[in-house]
Amino acid sequence: MSAVPRPIVEIAEELGLEQDEIELYGQYKAKVKLEVLERLTAPRAKYVLVTGTTPTQFGEGKTTMTIGLGQAFKHLGLRSVVTVRQSSLGPVFGTKGAGAGGGAAQVLPFPDIALHFTGDGHAVTAAHNLCSAFLDNALYHGDVVLDPRTVTWPRVLDVNDRALRHIVTGLNESGGLTRSTRFDITAASEVMAILALARDYRDLRERIGRIVVGFTYDNQPVTAEQLRVAGPMTALLVDALKPNLVQTTEHTPAFVHTGPFGNIAHGNSSVIADLIATRLAEVVLTEAGFGTELGAEKFFHIKCRGSGLVPDAAVLVTSVRSIKAQGGLSGRRGRIDEQELAREDLGAVEAGLPNLAKHIENIKAFGVPVVVAVNRFPTDSERELDRVCCAALDLGAEGAAVASVYADGGPGGLEVARALLRAFEKPKAFRPLYDLDAPFERKVEVIARTLYGAGSVRFTAAARRQLAVLTRHGYDRLPVCMAKTPLSLSADPTVLGRPEGFEVQVRELRLLAGAGFVTVLLGDIQTMPALGRHPLGAEIDVDEHGVIHGLR
Amino acid sequence: MSAVPRPIVEIAEELGLEQDEIELYGQYKAKVKLEVLERLTAPRAKYVLVTGTTPTQFGEGKTTMTIGLGQAFKHLGLRSVVTVRQSSLGPVFGTKGAGAGGGAAQVLPFPDIALHFTGDGHAVTAAHNLCSAFLDNALYHGDVVLDPRTVTWPRVLDVNDRALRHIVTGLNESGGLTRSTRFDITAASEVMAILALARDYRDLRERIGRIVVGFTYDNQPVTAEQLRVAGPMTALLVDALKPNLVQTTEHTPAFVHTGPFGNIAHGNSSVIADLIATRLAEVVLTEAGFGTELGAEKFFHIKCRGSGLVPDAAVLVTSVRSIKAQGGLSGRRGRIDEQELAREDLGAVEAGLPNLAKHIENIKAFGVPVVVAVNRFPTDSERELDRVCCAALDLGAEGAAVASVYADGGPGGLEVARALLRAFEKPKAFRPLYDLDAPFERKVEVIARTLYGAGSVRFTAAARRQLAVLTRHGYDRLPVCMAKTPLSLSADPTVLGRPEGFEVQVRELRLLAGAGFVTVLLGDIQTMPALGRHPLGAEIDVDEHGVIHGLR
């Protein structure tokens, strides 16, 4: 946390931004105005996806790797930008922390990025809940014919709050309506997904207007437009659509913008930041949440479809410890014993390699060259690291190298960066796995079979009924947004390695018409996290000078 | 809305702020760091309270007057600052609008001030709800012995949402706790009141720690400190404690900071802004919510006690139409017929003067010289305006003048400003109406008898039981924060003019130990407003360039 940031106006200038194209938020943060897209009309950067193998609950250091690689390209004389998601206050005060990188590969200024940052998350919360208030107000006054039993629009707060997962509202209101509903965390809000996918203000306004909050008694969709709340919601998001420019510990530029969760939403940073970054830089690295079967799949099918950008290569981040965990060296649900982790265990590495193999295959299935980056942890042995790198090459990766960006910053990522430069020269033929006009069940099946290794897909009766309603209004032609556990290639968090032939059960469909996809829930997915017995937040305090301590 | 603001760095420099004492939020907004209080250690400004007579539901233009008078002093060659409260998103999308002044006397930039501004309101929401989450988490894990029936800490959102007034949380949680609770609007949050009263970071941290969320089974208070949430809550408020510097339409400086509601909370802008402003400027004008018996009383008893600042004079804002309304020219609950309003009616003015008289007396009761400012509306006749000014002088005001700041800006307020300069020369002897160690009932009675004109005060049995608990822990020695309708000097919104001898009923007490007062509720006070059938928000929209239209 000791790195001293440079004034953001200098970073912006070096990146090629003009002075009136940025808005300062303090000395070290700036928003970039969308007008820059009128000045620079064509992308010119190499565009790199950073994804990962099946993670442990600690994460692989994927964000740290993304930042470190951005720094590495600077050492190779290339102008690079990294684009990553914003923190959510829930995990910051819960168990995961801010996710702003680590060691010598972080985004600055901290703790600003971990807390309110430039207020985008709060804007999403406000816009989302304004829709909720207009919705219940319309029900109260009877202005919109809406079957209250069909209302799917929750409220949101950016906090881990178990007690809000299921609530009843509207008690004791004369003439009012008592409803069973819930709060999600803000990162799971459809408004967050919309903000991450919108290409400009017109697109943002139209997407907000298309949000479906529920249905009439004769099964017609009711939209935010009909509630007359789409305009004011968009007004609350005008600043939030502008990407946030900050810097890494080595003063390379970073866009930290939007934070849709990777399990329930599409788990990628904003389209608009990538549109701008690819016109300014020579290399743009963008991180997708969780493994290839989750964040990367949605990057390819949802984000790239939205942006029109085509990736030149992908980095697959892995670690010896996560491969060992997938090889069986773990307790239940990917939880690792720290003692076991410290011991060299080539057998466990070997047993875990099929997981790595599957993730390499998954990226290659989209026609994108892949470079494996093995994130070095202090307890890794050289033999373990060598084995993973060799295996990666054998398994079809265009390149593979160990990276030590946490300890060494940019120089620790040079080998991976050089491998990427070589990968850029390889022939590529990006192709999505499904067409939008394929039958809805077929889209789900293609993903589950090709990327998860499933043998079959089964829709529950409830999901089938939901599909019938969606199909009637043409929503079956939207992309699917798969929601499942990140801790396994399958939908069962306890299944390790490279499972095959299993059945996937589609439990529920959720229409996010504004975001432009249908979320497909496999298994139980929580959209509001809970605090544990010892939340990270309890360790945080402020001294008499207003300096924050204990924030991670 | 057409006034073009100057860069805020220039405004800050003219005010005597050094460049490293401000943090820019775009080109036209800045936060002022608390370090400035270490450089400038003594107040030097004349300190003026702006209050009003009993308002109609349209308001008297008190904020507009405050801003216009700040502008007027510049024309007299004096360095002035106005300090006013921030907007709340509830009224912005509901019925009242942003309250950022009007016509030629506004604070800029609009719409920034009306919407997210610098995010302080969102920080309050986040800090407040983090406490709620920690509270329910403690109940869930059983870590803190807390009688769930005594929990008084709600959740908050910055939205008008009727359906959240009474909710049940924690449904369907295995081992969880189902509770009946509510959401208040953020402006009614104790955290907002604390932010408005804190003198520095240490004071902020301590006040947050003292928040009482409920009681144990043996009636011991349970605090935010015990929940281990006071540190992280304060971390969320570090930036929010820094006052926001903006400018008026005539480029004089304005601090727009914190927004505690005037009915349920203490209804005054922040102590910290006034501490800074009085060290930088020659004249500081600060606005208190509603009439003298509400915002001004709490200004004198709560805000001045907290800041240690003593007012040199008060401006009592009134208008012909509000005096007519108090004279009986109104429907129920102060609602005025626009047709009736346009007709000259000296009889109605005469009938309403006792209300003006009472408000003048109320300020003089505190030993503060008062100048009456009659806010000119287009429908007022000269004879009506003359009658009010003459009466004001007869009733003991040190000065009285018509002001037309909405139409004319600063020049429209010169007469009032000159009257204030004369009032500054008058002898004054500021005195609160009660001592903190007076019996609790006595404090309420002094306010109700002296300022409202009540004949007696009666505590309900419930309020008496609450008082017994509070007294046991010494909370009866806190100031009282009266919560009642602003539409009458009494607690009954239908009673006009200058009521006398009535009985006031204390319905409920609420302990805000962190803010440092006990709220005394007279009658039904809503802490979560509702949207009407035609919310203002529905008129707002955004064009393809990201420009917001229709916001008021």
Side-chain angles (χ1 to χ4, degrees):
Chain A
M1 307 300 156
S2 60
V4 178
R6 287 171 51 202
I8 198 68
V9 287
E10 296 178 12
I11 308 295
E13 196 186 337
E14 286 169 12
L15 184 57
L17 286 164
E18 296 179 359
Q19 217 178 334
D20 62 356
E21 287 171 343
I22 65 168
E23 291 171 358
L24 292 181
Y25 280 64
Q27 215 186 338
Y28 306 115
K29 296 163 284 178
K31 279 192 166 282
V32 178
K33 296 182 192 169
L34 272 52
E35 283 86 341
V36 70
L37 291 172
E38 293 162 21
R39 181 169 64 86
L40 305 170
T41 52
R44 53 177 200 143
K46 294 294 179 185
Y47 186 47
V48 181
L49 166 70
V50 182
T51 176
T53 56
T54 304
T56 67
Q57 89 275 20
F58 303 114
E60 281 358 273
K62 199 152 40 74
T63 307
T64 307
M65 183 68 76
T66 308
I67 295 164
L69 291 177
Q71 296 176 153
F73 277 107
K74 183 188 181 188
H75 292 273
L76 297 177
L78 290 169
R79 185 148 69 173
S80 69
V81 174
V82 298
T83 67
V84 295
R85 281 177 294 162
Q86 295 185 201
S87 302
S88 162
L89 287 177
V92 166
F93 295 113
T95 52
K96 287 192 78 172
Q106 298 182 39
V107 280
L108 306 174
F110 200 85
D112 304 43
I113 288 174
L115 297 178
H116 309 296
F117 199 24
T118 57
D120 298 347
H122 295 316
V124 169
T125 303
H128 186 116
N129 294 326
L130 190 67
C131 186
S132 314
F134 269 60
L135 192 163
D136 268 309
N137 196 51
L139 287 172
Y140 181 87
H141 290 294
D143 289 344
V144 174
V145 181
L146 173 58
D147 178 355
R149 298 166 305 172
T150 68
V151 170
T152 47
W153 190 255
R155 286 175 177 80
V156 298
L157 272 179
D158 194 9
V159 64
N160 287 5
D161 192 341
R162 178 189 295 106
L164 295 178
R165 282 175 177 167
H166 186 180
I167 66 172
V168 168
T169 59
L171 294 160
N172 273 20
E173 279 302 321
S174 59
L177 189 81
T178 302
R179 287 204 300 117
S180 168
T181 181
R182 69 177 196 277
F183 273 79
D184 288 346
I185 191 162
T186 298
S189 162
E190 179 174 357
V191 178
M192 182 65 93
I194 289 172
L195 197 68
L197 289 167
R199 295 176 56 92
D200 53 37
Y201 285 113
R202 186 194 300 255
D203 187 26
L204 176 67
R205 176 62 181 79
E206 288 173 359
R207 284 173 179 270
I208 298 277
R210 285 198 295 267
I211 289 171
V212 171
V213 298
F215 288 83
T216 62
Y217 285 94
D218 52 353
N219 277 322
Q220 296 300 310
V222 176
T223 64
E225 197 67 59
Q226 288 165 268
L227 293 176
R228 301 192 64 197
V229 74
M233 287 174 74
T234 309
L236 285 166
L237 297 169
V238 164
D239 288 327
L241 188 61
K242 303 170 193 163
N244 305 299
L245 176 66
V246 292
Q247 65 193 283
T248 68
T249 25
E250 294 181 14
H251 315 301
T252 63
F255 283 120
V256 180
H257 193 218
T258 74
F261 270 180
N263 54 359
I264 185 77
H266 69 287
N268 279 266
S269 60
S270 77
V271 160
I272 195 91
D274 287 8
L275 287 177
I276 293 175
T278 50
R279 295 175 196 203
L280 289 164
E282 291 164 304
V283 181
V284 172
L285 297 119
T286 186
E287 184 200 358
F290 303 125
T292 62
E293 90 287 7
L294 265 181
E297 181 267 310
K298 295 189 266 196
F299 170 80
F300 292 127
H301 284 137
I302 297 175
K303 187 176 176 185
C304 289
R305 270 204 177 95
S307 70
L309 295 171
V310 172
D312 294 279
V315 174
L316 181 67
V317 181
T318 190
S319 67
V320 166
R321 67 179 197 175
S322 69
I323 287 180
K324 282 170 162 173
Q326 288 300 313
L329 189 56
S330 84
R332 54 192 183 83
R333 301 176 73 94
R335 208 165 288 268
I336 306 177
D337 182 309
E338 301 276 335
Q339 299 290 326
E340 259 186 313
L341 192 75
R343 279 194 298 273
E344 181 180 84
D345 188 341
L346 287 165
V349 171
E350 212 60 41
L353 287 175
N355 185 268
L356 175 65
K358 180 65 183 147
H359 286 288
I360 291 172
E361 287 170 28
N362 282 354
I363 297 172
K364 289 167 74 83
F366 289 91
V368 174
V370 54
V371 169
V372 172
V374 187
N375 195 15
R376 183 193 284 273
F377 284 78
T379 50
D380 299 346
S381 83
E382 294 305 319
R383 291 197 294 181
E384 288 172 321
L385 291 162
D386 282 350
R387 181 68 197 107
V388 175
C389 283
C390 288
L393 292 171
D394 290 346
L395 291 165
E398 297 295 340
V402 177
S404 57
V405 296
Y406 184 98
D408 305 320
L414 282 175
E415 265 198 85
V416 176
R418 287 199 193 95
L420 275 169
L421 290 180
R422 288 190 296 273
F424 294 157
E425 306 305 319
K426 300 280 167 174
K428 60 176 183 288
F430 172 63
R431 53 182 178 269
L433 298 187
Y434 62 81
D435 292 327
L436 291 183
D437 53 9
F440 191 86
E441 295 97 323
R442 176 80 195 126
K443 301 183 207 180
V444 177
E445 205 173 289
V446 163
I447 293 168
R449 284 179 180 271
T450 315
L451 303 180
Y452 306 172
S456 61
V457 175
R458 194 171 61 81
F459 280 58
T460 61
R464 207 163 290 283
R465 277 195 302 275
Q466 293 167 325
L467 181 55
V469 174
L470 299 186
T471 302
R472 196 177 318 163
H473 302 287
Y475 294 120
D476 58 323
R477 286 192 295 270
L478 293 172
V480 297
C481 178
M482 306 297 281
K484 72 166 192 71
T485 176
L487 298 176
S488 169
L489 277 162
S490 76
D492 176 351
T494 64
V495 176
L496 301 174
R498 178 182 183 155
E500 277 179 341
F502 51 92
E503 181 187 83
V504 160
Q505 183 185 280
V506 173
R507 193 171 57 88
E508 185 187 344
L509 305 182
R510 290 191 188 166
L511 171 62
L512 281 76
F517 53 68
V518 175
T519 295
V520 175
L521 282 86
L522 315 179
D524 281 323
I525 300 292
Q526 281 293 1
T527 50
M528 171 55 90
L531 290 171
R533 187 152 206 159
H534 304 290
L536 278 183
E539 309 303 321
I540 297 167
D541 216 328
V542 176
D543 69 19
E544 68 203 79
H545 305 292
V547 177
I548 299 168
H549 300 275
L551 193 65
R552 286 190 258 174
Chain B
M1 308 302 156
S2 61
V4 178
R6 287 171 50 200
I8 198 67
V9 287
E10 296 179 14
I11 308 295
E13 195 186 339
E14 285 169 13
L15 184 57
L17 286 163
E18 296 179 358
Q19 218 179 331
D20 62 355
E21 287 171 343
I22 65 168
E23 290 171 359
L24 291 181
Y25 279 63
Q27 214 185 339
Y28 305 116
K29 296 163 283 179
K31 279 193 166 282
V32 178
K33 296 183 192 168
L34 272 51
E35 284 85 340
V36 68
L37 291 172
E38 293 162 22
R39 180 169 64 86
L40 304 171
T41 52
R44 54 177 200 141
K46 293 295 179 184
Y47 187 49
V48 181
L49 167 71
V50 182
T51 176
T53 57
T54 304
T56 67
Q57 88 275 20
F58 302 114
E60 281 356 274
K62 197 149 44 70
T63 306
T64 307
M65 183 68 76
T66 307
I67 295 164
L69 292 177
Q71 297 176 153
F73 277 107
K74 183 188 181 188
H75 291 273
L76 297 177
L78 290 169
R79 185 147 72 174
S80 68
V81 173
V82 299
T83 67
V84 295
R85 281 178 292 163
Q86 296 184 201
S87 301
S88 161
L89 287 178
V92 165
F93 294 113
T95 52
K96 286 192 79 172
Q106 297 182 40
V107 279
L108 307 174
F110 199 84
D112 305 43
I113 287 175
L115 297 178
H116 309 296
F117 199 24
T118 58
D120 297 347
H122 295 316
V124 169
T125 303
H128 186 116
N129 294 328
L130 190 67
C131 186
S132 313
F134 269 60
L135 191 163
D136 270 308
N137 196 50
L139 286 172
Y140 180 87
H141 289 294
D143 290 343
V144 173
V145 182
L146 173 58
D147 178 355
R149 299 165 305 170
T150 68
V151 170
T152 48
W153 189 256
R155 287 175 178 80
V156 298
L157 272 179
D158 195 9
V159 64
N160 287 5
D161 192 341
R162 179 190 295 106
L164 294 178
R165 282 176 177 166
H166 187 180
I167 67 171
V168 168
T169 59
L171 294 160
N172 274 19
E173 279 302 321
S174 59
L177 189 80
T178 302
R179 288 203 300 118
S180 167
T181 181
R182 71 176 195 278
F183 273 79
D184 288 345
I185 191 162
T186 299
S189 163
E190 179 172 357
V191 178
M192 182 64 93
I194 289 172
L195 196 68
L197 288 166
R199 295 176 55 94
D200 52 38
Y201 285 113
R202 186 193 300 256
D203 187 25
L204 176 67
R205 176 64 181 77
E206 288 173 358
R207 285 174 180 269
I208 297 279
R210 285 198 295 268
I211 288 170
V212 171
V213 298
F215 288 83
T216 62
Y217 286 94
D218 52 353
N219 277 323
Q220 297 299 311
V222 176
T223 64
E225 197 68 57
Q226 287 166 268
L227 293 176
R228 301 192 64 197
V229 73
M233 287 174 74
T234 309
L236 286 166
L237 297 169
V238 164
D239 287 327
L241 188 61
K242 302 171 194 163
N244 306 299
L245 176 67
V246 291
Q247 65 192 285
T248 68
T249 25
E250 294 181 13
H251 315 302
T252 64
F255 282 120
V256 179
H257 193 218
T258 74
F261 269 0
N263 54 359
I264 185 78
H266 68 289
N268 279 265
S269 60
S270 78
V271 160
I272 195 90
D274 287 9
L275 288 176
I276 293 175
T278 50
R279 295 176 197 202
L280 290 164
E282 292 164 305
V283 181
V284 173
L285 298 118
T286 187
E287 183 199 358
F290 302 126
T292 62
E293 90 286 7
L294 265 180
E297 181 268 310
K298 295 189 266 198
F299 170 80
F300 292 128
H301 284 139
I302 297 175
K303 187 176 177 184
C304 288
R305 270 202 179 98
S307 70
L309 295 171
V310 172
D312 293 281
V315 174
L316 181 68
V317 180
T318 190
S319 67
V320 166
R321 66 180 198 175
S322 69
I323 287 180
K324 281 168 163 175
Q326 288 300 312
L329 189 55
S330 84
R332 55 193 184 78
R333 301 177 73 94
R335 207 166 288 269
I336 307 177
D337 181 309
E338 301 277 336
Q339 298 289 327
E340 256 186 314
L341 191 76
R343 279 194 298 273
E344 182 180 83
D345 188 341
L346 287 166
V349 171
E350 210 61 42
L353 288 176
N355 185 268
L356 174 65
K358 180 65 185 148
H359 286 289
I360 292 173
E361 286 171 27
N362 282 355
I363 297 172
K364 289 167 74 85
F366 289 91
V368 174
V370 53
V371 169
V372 172
V374 188
N375 195 15
R376 182 194 284 272
F377 283 78
T379 49
D380 299 345
S381 83
E382 293 305 320
R383 290 197 295 183
E384 287 172 322
L385 291 162
D386 283 352
R387 182 67 197 107
V388 175
C389 283
C390 288
L393 293 171
D394 290 346
L395 292 165
E398 297 294 340
V402 177
S404 56
V405 295
Y406 184 97
D408 305 320
L414 281 175
E415 266 199 83
V416 176
R418 288 200 193 93
L420 275 169
L421 289 180
R422 289 190 295 273
F424 293 156
E425 306 304 319
K426 300 280 168 174
K428 61 175 183 289
F430 172 62
R431 54 183 178 271
L433 298 187
Y434 63 81
D435 291 328
L436 290 182
D437 53 9
F440 190 86
E441 295 97 322
R442 177 81 194 124
K443 301 182 207 180
V444 177
E445 204 173 291
V446 163
I447 293 168
R449 283 178 181 273
T450 315
L451 302 180
Y452 306 172
S456 60
V457 174
R458 194 170 62 80
F459 280 58
T460 61
R464 205 163 292 284
R465 277 194 303 273
Q466 293 167 324
L467 181 56
V469 175
L470 298 186
T471 302
R472 197 177 317 161
H473 301 288
Y475 294 121
D476 58 323
R477 287 191 294 271
L478 292 172
V480 297
C481 178
M482 305 298 281
K484 73 167 192 69
T485 175
L487 298 176
S488 169
L489 277 162
S490 76
D492 176 349
T494 65
V495 175
L496 301 174
R498 179 181 182 154
E500 277 179 341
F502 52 90
E503 182 186 85
V504 160
Q505 183 184 281
V506 172
R507 191 171 59 86
E508 186 187 342
L509 305 182
R510 289 192 188 165
L511 171 63
L512 281 77
F517 53 68
V518 175
T519 295
V520 175
L521 282 85
L522 315 179
D524 280 324
I525 301 292
Q526 281 292 0
T527 51
M528 173 54 91
L531 290 171
R533 186 152 206 160
H534 304 289
L536 279 183
E539 309 303 322
I540 296 167
D541 216 328
V542 176
D543 69 20
E544 68 203 78
H545 304 293
V547 177
I548 298 168
H549 299 275
L551 194 64
R552 287 189 258 176

